[in-house]
Amino acid sequence: MKKHLLILLSLPFMAHAQNTMNIVEGSSPIKYNNMIFGHFIEHFDTQIYGGIFDPNSKFADEDGFRTDVIEALKQIKVPIVRWPGGCFVSTYHWVDGVGPERQPVYDKTWQVEDPNTFGTDEYIKWCRKVGCEPYICTNAGTGTPEEMSDWVEYCNLSVGKWGRMRMANGYAEPHNVKYWSVGNENWGAHELGARTVQEWGPLVRESAKLMLSVSKDLKLFAAATSNKNWTLPLLREAGRHLNYISIHGYWDPLFHHNNPAPFIDCMMKTDAPEQDIQRTIGILEEAGFGGGRIKIAYDEWNLRNWHHPWHGNFRRGFDLEARRKNDIPSQYTMADALFSACFLNACLRHADIVDIACFSPIVNTRGAIFVHPEGILKRTTFHVFDMYVNLLEDYVQPIDWNTERLEGNKNASTGVLDGVLTISEDGTRHALVVVNKDPKQSRKLTLAINKKLPRRIEGKVLCGASPDDYNEIGAENRVTPEDRMFVLKDGCVELPPHSLTVLRF
Ligand code: AHR
């Protein structure tokens, strides 16, 4: 008979490892929204043109979309993609991107010409091929509430000037776009069409009223931050119309100088996203929209800022060639993978409030995928999404962690392990996802859950040969998930250094 170990609740003498995971007594599993595995794409550099849309590519389909990219996005079951920006949207007029005659427009945000050959209808068509929900961010910079609501008419009505325009453009059926955001980062001086706190609430309120007058069931977002000085007034003025508030996070500031932070410094940043989430939850509660009445959409996030000097310095202008530095493969390492896994764990731990998250961006720049004429490169972060969407169960089982500390520079420290336990609806299957942030040492984890565990547990591990390992053209699979059997010893499993592991039992 297969020998089973009954792992009792962890007792001090049993916890050989200082790292222990206990199920929270009396807790109930929470179903998370798979839209936390969403993505973002912007009209920036080669994300759209030369990224997902390249009619001259040998991989292009009849619409000019790269089929190798679409297949990769299906592999990670992309559930939602936010478009067209980002800062770009704050000077974008959607009508320029529809209809038979497209005029190129000078994109004042990124200071290049946009051919407008990829617009709303192409975006919707692309989303249908990927199998994801479209999520449109509107122009609250140089745009108006009426322009936003006209865009909703174009997409969702079959009457009126704009709905009939879509039909005349060859799309008889409404696009039925459910997810709409008012504005991008209008709170920031870097944004063209930035707004003051006093302006923002009323603008969102009036935009929301117009958009809801077109489609009353919209899922409506507004640009917010985890700073109450901006977000509290917004909620007081417009909260009653909103389903979500959007926050963004980039933690390695590479806008102007492309010198990626080293692994250990990136690990010291892994607690920051959850701190932002907790601050934002506090603001929602203070404004009377807690408990899920308004949820959080972390709809732009990435460890690394995009590199585009000198964004926001309007007297200096951009160094356009510098954008190529985003393509350097060696900067997307296990630091990016483990930070991203910790970010997703934070979203899972707050599954009752964090409903959507969009990795920024999806293709090229700092994306999970890099494209080149002969194919695509799956960066380390792609494999993180692959493991989460394809190996986790549908519910989060609340657990208490007791974890050793990992010391960083300048007295910084963080818990060395970061994990989430997921469970199937019927409670029969578990998938534990856990990060070991230690760049050198394996770490033991006591699985203190009151469940018979097999002595040998199937695992999937992403770790590379070193913390700084990465994939590149010609070495596409240097860092890729590997099957690994874990043997339970005294209730402990040993997790490899600089690793993301999913244990299924
Ligand atoms: O660096 C890209 C920019 O980051 C996005 O356009 C904007 O939304 C965020 O500030």
Side-chain angles (χ1 to χ4, degrees):
M1 177 184 145
K2 198 170 177 186
K3 188 177 176 201
H4 283 295
L5 285 173
L6 177 59
I7 308 300
L8 303 176
L9 280 178
S10 70
L11 304 172
F13 66 86
M14 272 191 69
H16 297 276
Q18 294 306 312
N19 302 299
T20 304
M21 177 193 90
N22 297 278
I23 286 184
V24 174
E25 280 302 306
S27 63
S28 303
I30 303 166
K31 187 153 181 17
Y32 60 85
N33 188 336
N34 74 325
M35 289 210 177
I36 60 169
F37 304 125
H39 293 262
F40 165 61
I41 195 159
E42 178 165 355
H43 286 237
F44 173 83
D45 201 32
T46 60
Q47 292 178 29
I48 302 281
Y49 303 106
I52 66 170
F53 180 62
D54 189 351
N56 298 321
S57 164
K58 66 182 183 181
F59 298 99
D61 65 11
E62 66 283 3
D63 295 306
F65 305 146
R66 279 195 59 148
T67 52
D68 50 349
V69 171
I70 290 173
E71 287 315 305
L73 299 182
K74 284 180 175 177
Q75 179 185 340
I76 57 174
K77 298 188 177 78
V78 172
I80 189 168
V81 173
R82 176 174 178 258
W83 170 85
C87 294
F88 167 82
V89 77
S90 290
T91 54
Y92 177 65
H93 297 291
W94 65 267
V95 73
D96 294 335
V98 297
E101 300 300 324
R102 310 287 177 87
Q103 294 302 320
V105 165
Y106 180 67
D107 164 14
K108 295 183 179 69
T109 294
W110 298 121
Q111 298 177 16
V112 294
E113 184 179 74
D114 188 304
N116 273 313
T117 49
F118 187 97
T120 302
D121 299 321
E122 290 76 23
Y123 164 66
I124 298 297
K125 208 183 286 188
W126 180 81
C127 287
R128 300 309 181 218
K129 288 188 174 181
V130 170
C132 65
E133 280 292 334
Y135 163 17
I136 293 179
C137 180
T138 63
N139 175 359
T142 61
T144 65
E146 185 170 40
E147 182 185 27
M148 299 175 202
S149 57
D150 292 349
W151 203 354
V152 180
E153 285 190 45
Y154 181 84
C155 290
N156 292 358
L157 294 190
S158 292
V159 294
K161 172 182 175 183
W162 305 107
R164 292 179 185 281
M165 178 189 283
R166 185 201 69 253
M167 297 164 78
N169 288 340
Y171 300 89
E173 296 306 315
H175 290 326
N176 290 329
V177 179
K178 289 185 286 199
Y179 297 89
W180 294 83
S181 175
V182 176
N184 180 56
E185 300 180 345
N186 301 86
W187 42 262
H190 62 282
E191 194 86 3
L192 296 180
R195 304 289 180 164
T196 64
V197 172
Q198 296 73 21
E199 291 171 330
W200 187 238
L203 176 64
V204 171
R205 183 192 64 226
E206 293 313 307
S207 303
K209 286 161 54 180
L210 276 165
M211 295 165 84
L212 292 169
S213 299
V214 177
S215 295
K216 63 180 173 43
D217 299 325
L218 295 186
K219 299 291 186 185
L220 212 45
F221 307 56
T225 71
S226 58
N227 179 325
K228 67 191 300 187
N229 296 329
W230 175 268
T231 300
L232 210 44
L234 161 67
L235 290 168
R236 287 179 173 145
E237 279 293 341
R240 65 188 177 283
H241 301 304
L242 299 178
N243 303 92
Y244 296 93
I245 52 172
S246 299
I247 60 174
H248 293 172
Y250 298 90
W251 289 272
D252 189 9
L254 303 176
F255 283 131
H256 301 321
H257 304 288
N258 193 52
N259 48 354
F263 180 89
I264 191 65
D265 292 350
C266 295
M267 294 303 99
M268 295 301 127
K269 299 173 188 286
T270 52
D271 299 321
E274 192 152 21
Q275 291 159 1
D276 278 351
I277 290 171
Q278 288 160 339
R279 269 197 299 278
T280 308
I281 290 171
I283 299 169
L284 286 167
E285 288 169 350
E286 184 174 343
F289 293 100
R293 164 61 189 79
I294 290 181
K295 295 197 172 183
I296 295 171
Y298 223 128
D299 58 22
E300 279 187 36
W301 69 272
N302 194 310
L303 165 62
R304 319 275 188 194
N305 270 129
W306 304 359
H307 182 60
H308 35 56
W310 290 89
H311 188 40
N313 183 330
F314 297 98
R315 283 289 180 187
R316 189 159 176 177
F318 278 113
D319 168 0
L320 299 183
E321 259 317 292
R323 295 173 184 176
R324 295 279 56 77
K325 292 182 182 175
N326 289 297
D327 301 346
I328 301 168
S330 58
Q331 58 197 337
Y332 305 109
T333 69
M334 282 308 300
D336 300 78
L338 300 189
F339 178 93
S340 298
C342 291
F343 177 93
L344 294 174
N345 288 349
C347 294
L348 288 165
R349 282 192 286 268
H350 296 277
D352 56 331
I353 297 287
V354 181
D355 214 40
I356 293 175
C358 300
F359 187 64
S360 164
I362 192 171
V363 172
N364 289 345
T365 312
R366 304 276 187 206
I369 296 172
F370 176 73
V371 305
H372 56 90
E374 297 310 312
I376 62 170
L377 179 66
K378 296 174 180 175
R379 291 168 168 161
T380 57
T381 44
F382 177 91
H383 297 303
V384 173
F385 282 99
D386 190 13
M387 290 169 74
Y388 274 73
V389 301
N390 288 307
L391 298 177
L392 297 194
E393 298 296 342
D394 292 341
Y395 287 73
V396 174
Q397 173 63 59
I399 51 177
D400 281 330
W401 279 93
N402 170 33
T403 173
E404 295 160 321
R405 302 297 289 176
L406 176 68
E407 305 303 322
N409 297 315
K410 300 176 186 166
N411 299 322
S413 77
T414 181
V416 72
L417 301 185
D418 179 315
V420 168
L421 179 62
T422 62
I423 186 170
S424 58
E425 184 166 22
D426 63 5
T428 59
R429 297 186 313 278
H430 294 73
L432 169 68
V433 60
V434 54
V435 172
N436 177 7
K437 304 175 195 175
D438 191 318
K440 298 190 180 83
Q441 305 292 329
S442 64
R443 296 286 182 135
K444 289 184 178 177
L445 169 65
T446 302
L447 300 177
I449 59 176
N450 191 12
K451 169 180 168 47
K452 286 182 182 177
L453 291 175
R455 179 161 171 64
R456 298 163 64 80
I457 299 180
E458 280 180 29
K460 187 78 87 172
V461 177
L462 183 75
C463 60
S466 87
D468 300 326
D469 231 352
Y470 59 91
N471 292 328
E472 62 183 327
I473 297 170
E476 285 83 356
N477 296 314
R478 183 186 290 150
V479 184
T480 187
E482 296 168 354
D483 293 328
R484 195 174 296 190
M485 193 61 76
F486 287 76
V487 177
L488 208 59
K489 287 180 186 155
D490 301 331
C492 294
V493 290
E494 189 154 357
L495 301 164
H498 54 80
S499 66
L500 169 65
T501 299
V502 178
L503 297 175
R504 290 155 59 90
F505 48 88

